[in-house]
Amino acid sequence: MTLYLINILLALAWTAVTGSFSLANIVLGFVLGAGAIYLIREQVGSLGYFARAFRLTGLAALFLYELVLSAWRVAVLVLKPDMNLKPGIFAYPLRADRDFEITLLANLITLTPGTLSVDVSEDRKYLYVHAIDCSDVEALKRDIAQGFERKILEAFR
Amino acid sequence: METALSATVGIFFAVAIYLMLSKHIIRILLGVAIFGNAVNLTIFTAGRVMREVPPIIPEALIAPDAATANPLPQALILTAIVISFSFFAFLLVLAFRAYQELGSDDTDTMRVAEPESEDLPPLGY
Amino acid sequence: MRTLIFRTIAPYLTSLMVLFSIFVLLRGHNEPGGGFIGGLIAASAFAIYGIACGVSPVRRALYFHPMAISGCGLLVSALSGLVSIFEEMPFLTGQWGVIEVLGVPVDISTVLFFDIGVYLVVVGSITSVALALEEREHA
Amino acid sequence: MAVDPGKTVDLAHAMVMKPVAAADWLVVAPVVIPLVFGAVILMLRHETRMHASIAIAALVATLAANIGLLARVIETGPLVMTMGRWLPPFGISFAADALGASLALVATLVALVCAIYSLSDIGSIGRRYGFYTFMLLMMAGVGGAFLTGDIFNLYVWFEVFLISSFGLLVLGSEHRQLDGATKYAILNLVATTLFLTATAFLYGIFGTLNMADIARKVDGLRDTAPLMTLGVMYLLAFGMKAAAFPVNFWLPASYHTPRIVTAALFGGILTKVGVYALLRTLVMLFPPELALLSGLIAWVAGLTMVIGIMGALAQTDLRRALGFVVISGVGVMMAGLALGTGEGLSGTIFYAFHSMIVMAALYLLAGVMNGVGGSYSIRTLSGLYGAHPMLAAFALLLMLAAAGLPPASGLWPKVMLVRASLDAGYPWLAFTILATGLLTTLALGRVFILTIWRPRAEERLAAAVSPRLGYTVLAALSLPIVIMGLYPDPVIRVAQIAAGNLLDAAPYIGTVYPGGGGQ
Amino acid sequence: MAADGHWLTFLVLMLPFAGAAVAPFLVRSFGHNAAWLLALIPAFMFYHFTGFLSSVANGETVAAGYSWIPSLGVDFSWYIDGLSLTFALLITGIGALIVLYSGGYLKGHPHLGRFFSFILMFMGAMQGLVLADGFLTLFVFWELTSITSFLLIGFDHVREASRRAALQALIVTGLGGLSLLAGLLLIWNMTGLGSMSALLEAEGALREAPLYLAALLLVLGGAFTKSAQFPFHFWLPNAMEAPTPVSAYLHSATMVKAGVYLVMRLNPVMGDTVAWETILPVFGGTTLIVGTLLAVRQTDLKLMLAYTTVSSLGLLIMLTGFGSEKAAEAAVLYLVAHSMFKGALFMVAGGIDHETGTRDITKLGGIGRAMPITFAAAVLAAISMGGLPPFFGFLAKEEIYAGLWQGSGWSGLITLVAIVGNALMFAVGFAVALKPFTGPKVETPKHAHEGPILLWLGPLVLGLGGLLTALASPLSHRFISNPMASAVVGEPVEISISVVPHVGLPLLLSVMTIALGITAYLALARGREIMAGTLRTIGWGPDLGFDQAIGGTVRISSTVTRVVQSGRLDYYMTATFIALALALFVPMILFGELPALPDFPSLRFYEWTVLAIAFIGLGAVLHARDRLTAIVSLGIQGFAVALLFMLLGAPDLSFTQFMVETLSVVILALVMTRLRLSPTDHRPTGEKAGDIAIAAVCGATLGLMLLRVTQIPFDDTLSAFFAENSRAIAHGRNIVNVIIVDFRGLDTLGEIAVVMIAGLAILALVRIRAGKPADARKGGG
Amino acid sequence: MIDLLQNLLVGALLIIGAAFTFIATVGILRLPDLYTRMHAASKAGTLGAGLLLVALAIFAEDHATVTRALAAVVFLMLTAPISAHLLAKAAYEAGYRLWDRSVHDDMAGTGKDKPSDS
Amino acid sequence: MTDGSTFRELAELIALAVLSGSFLLAVVRVVLGPSLPDRILGLDMLVSIAIGFIAVIGIRTGYTLYLDIAIALGLVGFLATVAFARFVLSRRYEEEFIAEDTRGIYGESEND
Ligand code: NA
Ligand code: NA
């Protein structure tokens, strides 16, 4: 978090020096600031900062990919003359246990293919997910566990 | 455009009034809401209509260089929308409380202020 | 409605919306927006907060009773119209001035305060309604 | 590109350059003072002890401003202030003429007296949930309605006092209140919405909202625009607000349900705002249309009077009877509108002053009677004379006032209206006015002999509420009633000036547009 | 108006009201003896008016006053001539005696002070009435007499009969008062003359006015009700519920004569027409006969006197309207005589009641020995009433017959009526004066003995007055009868009649009357039975009719109100929208305000879509099976309107509309949470058709009106101004917002006031619950 | 060249975005129960609107618009899943059953589907 | 030859047409229901479409100021859905209501 602040300060310094407060210039300042911090990564112990940044980026990329994919699948499904659906709700055992992680996971699941978070169990052990194709529950669970949940845990721990 | 809007306004008014002739407060309230929209469209149309050009002066100019939509009716409607929203909210809660206390939203049965069987006042002296 | 997911995300959403509402308020003079719309957005934010996390946190967050905020708004608007009496001008005549904040010139005007008053009235009243109804819900 | 236009633009093309003296603020003071103090009271929600004093102080200040305003208007003619310094018709003009200023004054007087009576009628819960805020904002709305010179702004002030009256009406949430408020709210909302619709059409026709501007443009549009339909719409919308037959239903359905001080405020003030708006629009803006509608309005007036007083005769509940008396008074005022002559209009205006005070006083009287007699029903209320002769005296005076008998104020406006009716060739209207007076005597005379004179069957109850405060406010209202009854000349003079301003709008227009041209 | 020198008269006019104000305090200090002090007020007034006697006798009149309501051209003015002066003297003179009598009669009454107040107020009103010159001065005092008489009749308000009588008198005389007002205003309108003196000067003006007959009927409406002419006579006997001083004063000597006064006053300007000379004698004669017949029926002393008063009033009206100079003179003489003898007899009746505890003539007898002075007063009065010499009543009676008999059939009929009426009055009068005092002693509730001086002074003075005025007839004619008769006739007249009987037709008729009267006196008991039987057969009378009228009015009112104010919101709404439909449709058709035929609109496809969405939303709201669907559908049309605003260049509107629609739906959802609603609402098909018709007409006409409006060339000065100055002066690029916060900031100030109040009102609604005095929760903070 | 690219990109995004939106609406019409319909709305719908906003961002010249367009996308992504979750949960707890040909329901019997509190 | 604006304008029209169609279809769902959550879903969909519509109109007219409306609509549309969900939840045990509400599609129509 501290490093994030430092990065912002660097960006501000950049804009002050260049005398332009335009958005592009701020972004440029931020990127340059990140580069500057990267240069001094070992002194300031910023390895985790970048690693997390990369993982977050990875999560975002995965999400976008999954979003497009899911939208596409839904499109195909909907446009098919014969919708051979096998929907259902399954309980997904959570590894994540922080509110924030659970929430993020649930939201990502909702936005991705064929799954939709309905609820979290009282004891926060299970996430109830509605799937549009529930013929193979275990495969679904596996996908989530190795997809989003892993990435989230990587990014935030 | 004005013709289409006039017709629209007429339909809005008709629907609103039909709903307001109901015995049930919730329906009357729906009528009130539509009534409000009808009036807003009336104000809008009465100020004459122009497509798409919002009455906002471009950054570079001191005054619009071309005709814009008439801003005054818009300002009037804003005031009217806000007011009718306030009234709608009040009426809604009033209806709700009336329902809670009187047990009905049928205006025929919630006649507490003017009860049905009122006897004559005393005729003596 | 106080599900874990909603409850976790609602405060962030609320602050985001309040921020956005102030943005809408301040730019209203030049772009679509203004006190009323800004106030509605902020009130929506508090309503979401209230639905997700309960009424008490919202009341604590606002500190003042929403209707007092509303009254304050009306007062601010009316008073901003009264400033012009000192300039021998009619009620609600806009007074414009520039003050320096840390060396940066900032335009201030009675018109802006008027709009802020509108904002406060709307935030206060609508929030009050929403909270009162929400509260009744759990009575 | 820093645009600093103030320096490059000649302000005189857009703004009033003449400095505005602080004394000119009298014209907005009746709105601003109650508005500001209403907000302050709301901010001090929990200091309920302070509410009444703040409200009374605010109303005293408003009353003072109103007195100053009326004095100035009588002395030097209409007073105008265009908000935001914009030239009329671009800014919203407040334009006080004798009509608006005098009605605002009387309304404030009534409100002040009601505020004093509320000390005994409104508890801390009522205060906490906004009684005084509602009341002050209602007065701001009423003042605004009387003083504004802009027709859309008139709509806004109508809504302000309407929503405030809703608040007052529901305060307490008793069953009857909720039912009454539902009818009141929905029907009144229909009325104001019609008003707004008519105003939309008006704007579409005239391209302006300033009443002086409309008045000077109207003759040029008479051949091309659907002004008759417009006039009828205003007649209907404001007739509803004024509770004229056949659109008077909301009033008897609701006025008897709230706290008595609220009923007094309503009974005194609200319908008169509707009458005022009728006068302002129909007489000042659409006189030829009014002339064509004269017969219709005369019928409305007559039926309103008769239906109203018949309703009063049929009631057991004192407050409900008074609601109908209010309606019958509206009919009397409509009569002057139908005649449209100077004498008729001044009769209407005088009657409005009279009716505001008398109806408020009658409701307060009912409140005091209930306080000492424990009921509003003329079936059970009785035996008040023995213990409370003062009450009997007030009751008698107010009965005479309402019936239009000397030595109270009601006589003179009726005389003026009867004379005007005979002059204008409406003898049956004169007859109806007089017959209504007789029926009012009957209705209230019955109330008097039953509640005041009739002895109580059981042992007399100790007064639940001390009538002292009630006597004070009744005395405060009786004083103008008697003065107007014995020496009506100043009031008639004001009413005549007001009527003159309506019939000849030239001074009004001239004040709003001092240059004669304007734009 | 000349004011100088007349201030004393003005003071005298106001004096009784001042006396009314202090009376309760005097009574508190002096008890019933305050009467002596208070009697000084009328005594002083009487004295003041005697000062006018000689000048008035010389044919002078005084018209004076102050400008009262210059803006209406109304003066507070008075007119003193023979007519008003005589009345004023009677009012103040008898008034002084009545005040004294009241002190005795109501001695010890807890509300004696109040009584004095009322009686003094009445005195002031009555005096003002007869002296008033300006029409409105007259009317104000006229109504004040009705009001004070209401208070006096209802003085004993614990009794229902009192209350009824008071209301009855108020309503009947109130009816007349309004009729009179209408008449006076009509006269004023027609002639431009607003005062009696002016009217008297322009003698012919009124008779020739176009609406003379209407004015006459209206004025007579006032006079007849006040003077208890048939069929309005019934209130007067009922008014005997009042304490006896009131009966003696108001209901014999003064107030009931107000109508006679009015007729006399107007005789010079309204008389001498066929209408006048028909209506007055017919009503007067009928009243005379009916009154006497009903008097015969009574056993109560006061009621007997009351009905003879009705007769006398009828006689006076008949005489005044007969049209001959002599008849008018007779009316004058009879009026003066009647005031004295009837006032005396009432006081005697009251004295008897006071001392014996009963007024029932059948339960009285032989108290003459116990109450000799009262007996004497009674006999004196009765002789005058019977028209026997040498009393003033005799002069009057002689003059009556001299005035009425003209040889024609009509005059014969009238004369016959007068004879019958006088004879019966003779009988009743002597019955009252003799029956209780003579014959064997009858046991009475209280043991009879002579009352205190306060009780017998009045009747005795009045009884003697009837004798003295007759004996000194030249004097009384010079100062009283002649000036008054001149005023009534309208030109100077000279009355010559004296107590010395002149042999002639009048004397013959008098003898006939007396003979008939004695017969009737002897057959009184039998006559009573016959009358009682007759009335039982008829079974209905105006008095009963009054109750039925009141009850009927209330019932009809109730029925009408029940229809008009049905208590059902849907009726109210239906009526309102029918009114709207008519208000729009009729002028549009009648005045040709329909729009020109428009072209078919050319819209872009997505604009059509938006409109279609709106209509689908509306349709769904209408068609919705349950209210929830309707609510959701409501969102659709609001949504469509917002889109429409966006497409039409109104971003602020669109923005606001979206927000507001959403919030409306949110609040609906929050509120509806707890509502358990029946899923459908029922509207019978017939009702549905009606509603559809109303809605369709309203919608169509509003749409047409809008179209019509948009076909007028538009004046966009305002918007051009806003566009030009929005940025240049008001520093804002968003013109709409600049309008809202600057150009039309006041609208917005009002608007936020509405928002604030709505919030507060909703809070009050939600928090305050009936029966639970507090807001339960502390959460409000 | 930049203009061409921009226009082509904007045009393509417009068509694709609109298409996804359309598909979503077809989905909510065709799919058999509430829960399956919500898939269409929360995915295709969100993506459609998002793409159209991105098209606007690309089309716009000034930074403020770009930022706001992207902010709008983020808001959309943030709120869409939550509203889907809330609606699904509410509907399930309110007793709206799954489609009768659903193959699996782990939530049945957790107490969410029947009265648990007073 | 061209800067591709013709294509863009065509795409705008296509998008508007498609979105118009979507509007109508979503409205159909709202109107048809059959259950309350279905209608809410339809409304939610309408909001999404409107956001897209605003974007397209913004491109077409060049007035990007409509964007703020889109943002606010996103936020407040969310509030509406939340409130409706809350409403649905609060009615959870009204068996009668639900039975009637769901009869159309989950019951008879599928089986019969
Ligand atoms: Na506004
Ligand atoms: Na009123």
Side-chain angles (χ1 to χ4, degrees), chain B residues 8 12, chain E residues 605-621 632-644 647, chain G residues 16 18-28 30-31 43 46 49-50 53:
Chain B
T8 308
F12 267 75
Chain E
F605 68 89
Y606 52 86
E607 291 168 344
W608 280 120
T609 309
V610 172
L611 289 185
I613 294 172
F615 296 148
I616 293 174
L618 290 178
V621 175
V632 179
S633 312
L634 180 74
I636 299 177
Q637 59 82 37
F639 198 81
V641 172
L643 286 175
L644 196 60
L647 294 177
Chain G
L16 282 175
V18 172
L19 289 177
S20 295
S22 307
F23 265 135
L24 292 172
L25 292 182
V27 167
V28 167
V30 179
V31 174
L43 270 189
L46 268 182
I49 302 168
F53 193 77

Coordinates of all heavy atoms in Angstrom, one line a residue, chain B residues 8 12, chain E residues 605-621 632-644 647, chain G residues 16 18-28 30-31 43 46 49-50 53:
Chain B
T8 N -49.5 11.7 -28.2 CA -49.0 11.0 -27.1 C -49.5 11.6 -25.8 O -50.0 10.8 -24.9 CB -47.5 11.1 -27.1 OG1 -47.0 10.7 -28.4 CG2 -46.9 10.2 -26.0
F12 N -51.6 9.7 -22.9 CA -51.1 9.7 -21.5 C -52.2 10.3 -20.5 O -52.5 9.7 -19.5 CB -49.9 10.6 -21.3 CG -48.6 9.9 -21.5 CD1 -48.1 9.4 -22.7 CD2 -47.8 9.6 -20.3 CE1 -46.9 8.7 -22.8 CE2 -46.6 8.9 -20.4 CZ -46.2 8.4 -21.7
Chain E
F605 N -37.2 6.0 -36.8 CA -37.8 4.7 -36.3 C -37.5 4.5 -34.8 O -38.4 4.0 -34.1 CB -37.1 3.5 -37.1 CG -35.7 3.3 -36.8 CD1 -35.3 2.5 -35.8 CD2 -34.7 3.9 -37.6 CE1 -33.9 2.3 -35.6 CE2 -33.4 3.7 -37.4 CZ -33.0 2.9 -36.4
Y606 N -36.4 5.0 -34.3 CA -36.2 4.7 -32.9 C -37.0 5.7 -32.0 O -37.4 5.4 -30.9 CB -34.7 4.9 -32.5 CG -34.0 6.1 -32.9 CD1 -34.0 7.3 -32.2 CD2 -33.3 6.1 -34.1 CE1 -33.4 8.4 -32.6 CE2 -32.6 7.3 -34.6 CZ -32.7 8.4 -33.8 OH -32.0 9.5 -34.2
E607 N -37.4 6.8 -32.6 CA -38.4 7.6 -31.9 C -39.7 6.9 -31.8 O -40.4 6.9 -30.8 CB -38.5 9.0 -32.6 CG -37.3 9.8 -32.5 CD -37.3 11.1 -33.4 OE1 -38.1 11.1 -34.3 OE2 -36.4 11.9 -33.1
W608 N -40.1 6.3 -32.9 CA -41.4 5.5 -32.9 C -41.2 4.4 -31.8 O -42.2 4.1 -31.1 CB -41.6 4.8 -34.3 CG -42.2 5.7 -35.3 CD1 -41.7 6.1 -36.5 CD2 -43.5 6.4 -35.2 NE1 -42.6 7.0 -37.1 CE2 -43.7 7.2 -36.4 CE3 -44.5 6.4 -34.2 CZ2 -44.8 7.9 -36.6 CZ3 -45.6 7.2 -34.5 CH2 -45.8 7.9 -35.7
T609 N -40.0 3.8 -31.8 CA -39.9 2.7 -30.8 C -40.1 3.2 -29.4 O -40.8 2.6 -28.6 CB -38.4 2.2 -30.9 OG1 -38.2 1.8 -32.3 CG2 -38.3 0.9 -30.0
V610 N -39.5 4.4 -29.1 CA -39.7 4.9 -27.8 C -41.1 5.2 -27.5 O -41.6 4.8 -26.4 CB -38.8 6.2 -27.6 CG1 -39.1 6.9 -26.3 CG2 -37.3 5.8 -27.7
L611 N -41.8 5.8 -28.4 CA -43.2 6.0 -28.2 C -44.0 4.7 -28.0 O -44.8 4.6 -27.1 CB -43.9 6.8 -29.4 CG -43.5 8.2 -29.5 CD1 -44.2 8.9 -30.7 CD2 -43.7 9.0 -28.3
A612 N -43.6 3.7 -28.8 CA -44.2 2.4 -28.7 C -44.0 1.8 -27.3 O -44.9 1.3 -26.7 CB -43.7 1.4 -29.8
I613 N -42.8 2.0 -26.8 CA -42.5 1.5 -25.5 C -43.4 2.2 -24.5 O -44.0 1.5 -23.6 CB -41.0 1.7 -25.1 CG1 -40.1 0.9 -26.0 CG2 -40.8 1.3 -23.6 CD1 -38.7 1.2 -25.8
A614 N -43.5 3.5 -24.6 CA -44.4 4.2 -23.7 C -45.8 3.7 -23.8 O -46.4 3.4 -22.7 CB -44.4 5.7 -24.1
F615 N -46.3 3.4 -25.0 CA -47.7 3.0 -25.1 C -47.9 1.6 -24.5 O -48.9 1.3 -23.9 CB -48.2 3.1 -26.5 CG -48.2 4.5 -27.0 CD1 -48.0 4.8 -28.3 CD2 -48.5 5.5 -26.1 CE1 -48.0 6.1 -28.8 CE2 -48.5 6.9 -26.6 CZ -48.2 7.1 -27.9
I616 N -46.9 0.7 -24.8 CA -46.9 -0.6 -24.3 C -47.0 -0.5 -22.7 O -47.8 -1.2 -22.1 CB -45.7 -1.5 -24.7 CG1 -45.8 -1.7 -26.2 CG2 -45.7 -2.8 -24.0 CD1 -44.6 -2.4 -26.8
G617 N -46.1 0.3 -22.2 CA -46.1 0.5 -20.7 C -47.5 0.9 -20.2 O -48.0 0.4 -19.3
L618 N -48.0 1.9 -20.9 CA -49.4 2.4 -20.5 C -50.4 1.3 -20.6 O -51.2 1.1 -19.6 CB -49.8 3.6 -21.4 CG -49.0 4.9 -21.2 CD1 -49.5 5.9 -22.2 CD2 -49.2 5.4 -19.8
G619 N -50.3 0.6 -21.7 CA -51.3 -0.5 -21.9 C -51.1 -1.5 -20.8 O -52.1 -2.0 -20.2
A620 N -49.9 -1.8 -20.5 CA -49.6 -2.8 -19.4 C -50.1 -2.4 -18.1 O -50.7 -3.1 -17.3 CB -48.1 -3.1 -19.4
V621 N -50.0 -1.1 -17.8 CA -50.5 -0.6 -16.5 C -52.0 -0.7 -16.5 O -52.6 -1.2 -15.5 CB -50.1 0.9 -16.4 CG1 -50.8 1.5 -15.1 CG2 -48.6 1.1 -16.3
V632 N -44.8 -2.3 -11.9 CA -43.6 -2.5 -12.8 C -43.8 -1.9 -14.1 O -42.9 -1.2 -14.7 CB -43.3 -4.0 -12.9 CG1 -42.1 -4.2 -13.7 CG2 -43.1 -4.6 -11.5
S633 N -45.0 -2.0 -14.6 CA -45.3 -1.4 -16.0 C -45.2 0.1 -15.9 O -44.8 0.7 -16.9 CB -46.7 -1.8 -16.4 OG -46.9 -3.2 -16.3
L634 N -45.5 0.6 -14.8 CA -45.4 2.1 -14.7 C -44.0 2.5 -14.9 O -43.7 3.5 -15.6 CB -45.8 2.5 -13.2 CG -45.7 4.0 -12.9 CD1 -46.9 4.7 -13.6 CD2 -45.7 4.2 -11.5
G635 N -43.0 1.7 -14.5 CA -41.6 2.0 -14.7 C -41.3 2.1 -16.2 O -40.5 3.0 -16.6
I636 N -42.0 1.3 -17.0 CA -41.7 1.3 -18.4 C -42.1 2.6 -19.1 O -41.3 3.2 -19.8 CB -42.5 0.2 -19.1 CG1 -42.1 -1.2 -18.5 CG2 -42.3 0.2 -20.6 CD1 -42.9 -2.3 -19.1
Q637 N -43.2 3.1 -18.8 CA -43.6 4.4 -19.4 C -42.7 5.5 -19.0 O -42.4 6.4 -19.7 CB -45.1 4.6 -19.3 CG -45.7 4.8 -17.9 CD -45.4 6.2 -17.3 OE1 -45.5 7.2 -18.0 NE2 -45.1 6.2 -16.0
G638 N -42.4 5.5 -17.7 CA -41.5 6.6 -17.2 C -40.2 6.5 -17.9 O -39.6 7.5 -18.3
F639 N -39.7 5.3 -18.0 CA -38.5 5.0 -18.7 C -38.5 5.6 -20.1 O -37.6 6.3 -20.6 CB -38.3 3.5 -18.7 CG -37.0 3.0 -19.0 CD1 -36.0 3.0 -18.0 CD2 -36.6 2.6 -20.2 CE1 -34.8 2.5 -18.2 CE2 -35.4 2.1 -20.5 CZ -34.4 2.0 -19.5
A640 N -39.6 5.3 -20.8 CA -39.8 5.8 -22.2 C -39.8 7.3 -22.3 O -39.2 7.9 -23.2 CB -41.1 5.2 -22.8
V641 N -40.5 7.9 -21.3 CA -40.5 9.3 -21.3 C -39.1 9.9 -21.2 O -38.7 10.9 -21.8 CB -41.4 9.9 -20.2 CG1 -41.3 11.4 -20.1 CG2 -42.8 9.5 -20.5
A642 N -38.3 9.3 -20.3 CA -36.9 9.7 -20.1 C -36.1 9.6 -21.4 O -35.4 10.5 -21.8 CB -36.2 8.9 -19.0
L643 N -36.3 8.5 -22.1 CA -35.6 8.3 -23.4 C -36.1 9.4 -24.4 O -35.3 9.9 -25.1 CB -35.9 6.9 -24.0 CG -35.2 5.7 -23.3 CD1 -35.7 4.4 -23.9 CD2 -33.7 5.9 -23.5
L644 N -37.3 9.6 -24.3 CA -37.9 10.7 -25.3 C -37.2 12.0 -25.0 O -36.8 12.7 -25.9 CB -39.4 10.7 -25.0 CG -40.2 11.4 -26.1 CD1 -40.0 10.7 -27.4 CD2 -41.7 11.5 -25.7
L647 N -33.9 12.1 -26.5 CA -33.9 12.2 -28.0 C -34.2 13.6 -28.4 O -34.0 14.0 -29.5 CB -34.8 11.2 -28.6 CG -34.4 9.7 -28.4 CD1 -35.4 8.8 -29.0 CD2 -33.1 9.5 -29.1
Chain G
L16 N -28.8 1.1 -33.4 CA -30.1 1.7 -32.9 C -31.3 0.7 -33.2 O -32.1 0.5 -32.3 CB -30.3 3.0 -33.5 CG -29.5 4.2 -32.9 CD1 -29.8 5.5 -33.7 CD2 -29.9 4.4 -31.5
V18 N -31.2 -2.5 -33.7 CA -31.1 -3.7 -32.8 C -31.5 -3.4 -31.4 O -32.3 -4.2 -30.8 CB -29.7 -4.3 -32.9 CG1 -29.5 -5.4 -31.9 CG2 -29.4 -4.8 -34.3
L19 N -31.0 -2.3 -30.9 CA -31.4 -1.9 -29.6 C -32.9 -1.6 -29.4 O -33.5 -1.9 -28.4 CB -30.6 -0.7 -29.1 CG -29.1 -0.9 -28.9 CD1 -28.4 0.4 -28.5 CD2 -28.9 -2.0 -27.8
S20 N -33.4 -1.0 -30.5 CA -34.9 -0.8 -30.4 C -35.6 -2.1 -30.3 O -36.5 -2.2 -29.5 CB -35.4 -0.1 -31.7 OG -34.8 1.2 -31.8
G21 N -35.2 -3.1 -31.1 CA -35.8 -4.4 -31.0 C -35.6 -5.0 -29.6 O -36.5 -5.5 -29.0
S22 N -34.4 -4.8 -29.1 CA -34.2 -5.3 -27.7 C -35.1 -4.7 -26.7 O -35.6 -5.3 -25.8 CB -32.7 -5.0 -27.3 OG -31.8 -5.5 -28.3
F23 N -35.2 -3.4 -26.8 CA -36.2 -2.6 -25.9 C -37.5 -3.3 -25.9 O -38.1 -3.7 -24.9 CB -36.4 -1.2 -26.4 CG -35.4 -0.2 -25.8 CD1 -34.8 0.8 -26.5 CD2 -35.3 -0.2 -24.4 CE1 -34.0 1.7 -25.9 CE2 -34.4 0.7 -23.8 CZ -33.8 1.6 -24.5
L24 N -38.0 -3.6 -27.1 CA -39.4 -4.1 -27.3 C -39.4 -5.5 -26.6 O -40.4 -5.8 -25.9 CB -39.8 -4.1 -28.7 CG -40.0 -2.7 -29.3 CD1 -40.3 -2.8 -30.8 CD2 -41.2 -2.0 -28.6
L25 N -38.4 -6.3 -26.9 CA -38.4 -7.6 -26.4 C -38.3 -7.6 -24.8 O -39.1 -8.4 -24.2 CB -37.2 -8.4 -26.9 CG -37.3 -8.7 -28.4 CD1 -36.1 -9.6 -28.9 CD2 -38.6 -9.5 -28.8
A26 N -37.5 -6.7 -24.3 CA -37.4 -6.6 -22.9 C -38.7 -6.2 -22.3 O -39.1 -6.7 -21.2 CB -36.3 -5.7 -22.5
V27 N -39.3 -5.3 -22.9 CA -40.6 -4.8 -22.5 C -41.6 -6.0 -22.5 O -42.4 -6.1 -21.5 CB -41.1 -3.6 -23.3 CG1 -42.6 -3.4 -23.1 CG2 -40.3 -2.4 -23.1
V28 N -41.5 -6.8 -23.5 CA -42.4 -7.9 -23.5 C -42.2 -8.8 -22.3 O -43.2 -9.2 -21.7 CB -42.2 -8.7 -24.8 CG1 -42.9 -10.1 -24.8 CG2 -42.7 -8.0 -26.0
V30 N -41.2 -7.9 -19.4 CA -41.7 -7.2 -18.2 C -43.2 -7.4 -18.2 O -43.8 -7.7 -17.2 CB -41.4 -5.7 -18.3 CG1 -42.0 -5.0 -17.1 CG2 -39.9 -5.5 -18.3
V31 N -43.8 -7.2 -19.4 CA -45.3 -7.3 -19.4 C -45.8 -8.7 -19.2 O -46.7 -8.9 -18.4 CB -45.8 -6.8 -20.8 CG1 -47.3 -6.9 -20.9 CG2 -45.4 -5.3 -20.9
L43 N -36.9 -5.4 -16.3 CA -36.6 -3.9 -16.0 C -35.1 -3.7 -16.0 O -34.5 -2.8 -16.5 CB -37.2 -3.5 -14.7 CG -38.6 -2.9 -14.7 CD1 -38.9 -2.3 -13.3 CD2 -38.8 -1.8 -15.7
L46 N -33.8 -3.7 -19.3 CA -34.1 -2.4 -19.9 C -33.1 -1.3 -19.6 O -32.6 -0.6 -20.4 CB -35.5 -1.9 -19.4 CG -36.7 -2.2 -20.2 CD1 -38.0 -1.6 -19.6 CD2 -36.6 -1.8 -21.6
I49 N -30.0 -2.0 -21.6 CA -30.2 -1.5 -23.0 C -30.1 0.0 -23.1 O -29.5 0.5 -24.0 CB -31.5 -2.1 -23.5 CG1 -31.6 -3.6 -23.4 CG2 -31.7 -1.7 -24.9 CD1 -33.0 -4.1 -23.6
A50 N -30.7 0.6 -22.1 CA -30.8 2.1 -22.1 C -29.3 2.6 -22.0 O -29.0 3.6 -22.7 CB -31.6 2.6 -21.0
F53 N -28.0 2.3 -25.3 CA -28.7 3.2 -26.2 C -28.1 4.6 -26.1 O -27.8 5.3 -27.0 CB -30.1 3.2 -25.8 CG -31.0 3.9 -26.8 CD1 -31.4 3.2 -28.0 CD2 -31.5 5.1 -26.6 CE1 -32.3 3.8 -28.9 CE2 -32.4 5.8 -27.5 CZ -32.7 5.1 -28.6

